[in-house]
């Protein structure tokens, strides 16, 4: 099972020196990938009384594709989006950006996509919030065409491309697409279309039930359920030892990947995030990467 980290979007700040130090430490500690969340704009609670979303206008978010272009030059880590809100983005541009990250990382990129929950963000990006599930299914089909064919002609319900293509094409053809899913329609979509699944719940009975939906949908689509990756996530709310046990629990649950999230648990400054990751890495026995 591959072990990575969740990039601490909301707590790392805007200093590129700090971001560089974080990525270098993650790689040295033996983690194998960085996963970043995606939000383009935040809502102003003064304009939206009763706002209850987990993020708002003051919550820091770096744009994942630009961030990964920067990190690709200084690390050999795999880059993962967990997740890009695909239906609020133009599909051809999304394909281009993903292809560029895949090239810059030497093919060490997974594109995680999801529907999102923030209607304010959809409005700001001039996209329809109400039909986002149907649009994302079509987007996935078009993305794979754009990553594998020199010239694409596609006429869907929501997407149209006529005799156009990307250059250069990505290293991976196609780039793996992973889906974040928790509702039954989204779980079925993951089984039908995705290369991997980001569960939104821990190992246990509910996870097993959700996994059964993913696998049943895969079989119905003529796909091998065993070929669908699973990336779990563990936090530090109960300390490093509990997080290390969480990593073990995901391994026993059949996950192919897991990410350690240090956000929201009292880490102050990048050094505290790195120290927390170092403790987890030690407890799970990650081999360190010596710095040259």
């Amino acid at each position: 099972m591959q072990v990575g980290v969740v990039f601490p979007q909301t707590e790392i700040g805007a200093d590129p020196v700090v971001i560089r130090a974080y990525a270098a430490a993650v790689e040295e500690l033996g983690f194998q990938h960085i996963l970043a969340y995606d939000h383009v704009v935040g809502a102003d609670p003064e304009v939206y009384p009763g706002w209850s979303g987990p993020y708002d206008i003051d919550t820091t978010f770096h744009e994942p594709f630009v961030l990964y272009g920067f990190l690709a030059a200084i690390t050999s880590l795999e880059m993962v989006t967990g997740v890009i809100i695909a239906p609020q983005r133009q599909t051809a541009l999304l394909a281009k950006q993903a292809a560029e990250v895949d090239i810059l990382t030497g093919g060490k990129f997974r594109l995680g996509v999801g529907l999102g929950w923030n209607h304010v963000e959809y409005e700001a990006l001039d996209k329809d919030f109400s039909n986002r599930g149907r649009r994302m299914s079509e987007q996935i089909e078009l993305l794979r065409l754009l990553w594998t064919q020199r010239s694409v002609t596609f006429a869907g319900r929501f997407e149209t491309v006529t005799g156009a293509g990307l250059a250069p094409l990505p290293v991976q053809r196609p780039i793996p697409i992973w889906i974040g899913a928790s509702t039954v329609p989204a779980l079925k979509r993951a089984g039908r279309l995705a290369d991997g699944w980001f569960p939104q719940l821990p190992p246990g009975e509910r996870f097993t039930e959700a996994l059964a939906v993913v696998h049943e949908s895969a079989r119905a689509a003529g796909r091998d359920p065993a070929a669908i990756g699973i990336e779990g996530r563990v936090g530090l709310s109960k300390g490093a030892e509990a997080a290390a046990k969480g990593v073990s629990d995901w391994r026993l649950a059949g996950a192919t990947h897991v990410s350690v999230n240090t956000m929201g648990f009292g880490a102050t400054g990048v050094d505290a995030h790195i120290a927390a990751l170092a403790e987890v890495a030690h407890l799970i026995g990650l081999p360190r990467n010596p710095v040259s």
Side-chain angles (χ1 to χ4, degrees), residues 8-80:
Q9 281 277 34
T10 61
E11 299 177 14
I12 200 166
D15 186 343
V17 175
V18 170
I19 294 171
R20 179 192 293 268
Y22 174 84
V26 165
E27 186 166 24
E28 182 182 356
L29 290 170
F31 293 98
Q32 295 166 284
H33 66 270
I34 291 182
L35 179 149
Y37 300 165
D38 169 46
H39 280 288
V40 178
V41 296
D44 184 349
E46 293 186 7
V47 179
Y48 298 92
W51 178 257
S52 60
Y55 312 114
D56 63 23
I57 194 170
D58 296 311
T59 310
T60 299
F61 273 90
H62 294 277
E63 201 289 315
F65 292 124
V66 176
L67 172 69
Y68 286 166
F70 174 69
L71 295 184
I74 58 177
T75 81
S76 60
L77 295 163
E78 182 188 35
M79 307 295 168
V80 187

Side-chain angles (χ1 to χ4, degrees), residues 181-272:
S182 57
T183 66
V184 170
L187 293 170
K188 289 181 177 180
R189 186 180 301 111
R192 188 173 69 252
L193 298 173
D195 298 297
W197 170 44
F198 296 113
Q200 306 299 304
L201 66 177
E205 184 178 353
R206 292 178 58 218
F207 164 75
T208 301
E209 292 171 353
L211 181 61
V213 175
V214 173
H215 284 181
E216 181 181 353
S217 178
R219 283 189 289 269
R223 307 180 67 213
D224 178 6
I228 300 174
I230 300 170
E231 174 145 351
R233 196 167 301 162
V234 299
L236 290 166
S237 61
K238 297 180 180 179
E241 290 189 2
K245 182 182 182 302
V247 171
S248 178
D249 290 344
W250 275 115
R251 182 179 286 109
L252 292 173
T256 55
H257 303 70
V258 68
S259 294
V260 181
N261 181 11
T262 57
M263 286 185 288
F265 306 116
T268 304
V270 69
D271 289 342

